Amino acid sequence: MGEKILIIGANGQIGTELASALRGIYGSDAVIASDISSPNNAGGENNGPYEIVNVLDKDNLHHVFDKHRPTQVYLLAAILSAIGEQKPKIAWDLNMTGLLHVLDFSVEFKVAKVFWPSSIAVFGPHSPQQQTPQYCVMDPNTVYGFSKLAGERWCEYYFTKYGLDVRSIRYPGLIGWRTNPGGGTTDYAVHIFHEALKTGKYESFLSVNTALPMMYMEDAIRATITLMNTPADTLNIRSSYNLAGISFTPAQLADEIKKYIPGFEISYSNNDPRQAIADSWPKSIDDSYAQKDWGWKLEYDLSKMVEDMLVNMKKII
Ligand code: SER
């Protein structure tokens, strides 16, 4: 039987790119994109089956599972770290109840594989900040972070208890040119490119030396698809895999952009609430389990990513 892939949250930063990549691999009709509102990709890049569904609307979500009988489900609907702090209860409800609905329906409809993203936000101020290991103290202090940590425990629980093949990655901050990020702490690293090209300057909401793990979207999508195609018995982690990416500060990113836009100027605001969130997160990540279990290897370093971002963004801006 061919694959039937349901993507929930297909209008978001990751979902848009993943829908396009999976349609490229499996064919348009094999991928059902869904989100709470109409498709955002007027350009037609993601053309194919589409459902409007709210992951919290149990009846409607059940209907979508029943109608399409997916073999794979990607749940990408979530509220990220910065918006989550403005709407803590709503973030908890969406991130947690949404996941439980999807896990339950995936068991009921015998979905073969489920993907659910976690984040570097699962770590907290007492986690080691350099080369943060897979297993360590985790005391996230954002609603987003502890919803992801609880979600990881649920994923592992459904794997152990019900045999559901759930797979997950703790994404670093993701940077891509096709889509905008949706309210996270790492969003500056995308906004900076837009402003560099449009106005030649940017005020960073994170301070000059705030290092965070980041990753180019090409690598993130490739990692996701690689993990999903790895034989189940070689996966030793059913909570979520650390993924390292590239660690850099706003100053280092700005310096790299200046190589292409010499007059680019960066300044720094100094009382943004996202700074405290960034300060509680790792500066770099140890992803040796991903390397060992599914052969993960990063392709885009900082200079390769900046070059590719600018080349592509110039075409669309
Ligand atoms: N990029 C996300 C955020 O900043 C982290 O997963 O919230």
Side-chain angles (χ1 to χ4, degrees), residues 80-81 119 144 171 173 184-186 281:
L80 298 188
S81 60
S119 160
Y144 175 69
Y171 287 128
T185 301
T186 56
W281 285 356

Side-chain angles (χ1 to χ4, degrees), residues 76-145:
L76 304 166
I79 290 184
L80 298 188
S81 60
I83 305 224
E85 293 310 287
Q86 291 156 20
K87 306 173 183 172
K89 301 273 172 52
I90 293 175
W92 175 259
D93 195 31
L94 175 66
N95 296 358
M96 214 69 308
T97 311
L99 172 61
L100 289 171
H101 286 169
V102 168
L103 292 175
D104 281 337
F105 294 155
S106 296
V107 172
E108 181 183 339
F109 289 97
K110 299 187 172 45
V111 173
K113 285 184 253 183
V114 177
F115 179 81
W116 174 81
S118 187
S119 160
I120 53 167
V122 292
F123 298 108
H126 293 85
S127 309
Q129 284 207 315
Q130 301 287 354
Q131 290 295 98
T132 306
Q134 178 72 35
Y135 298 106
C136 60
V137 169
M138 295 162 96
D139 56 346
N141 54 16
T142 62
V143 174
Y144 175 69

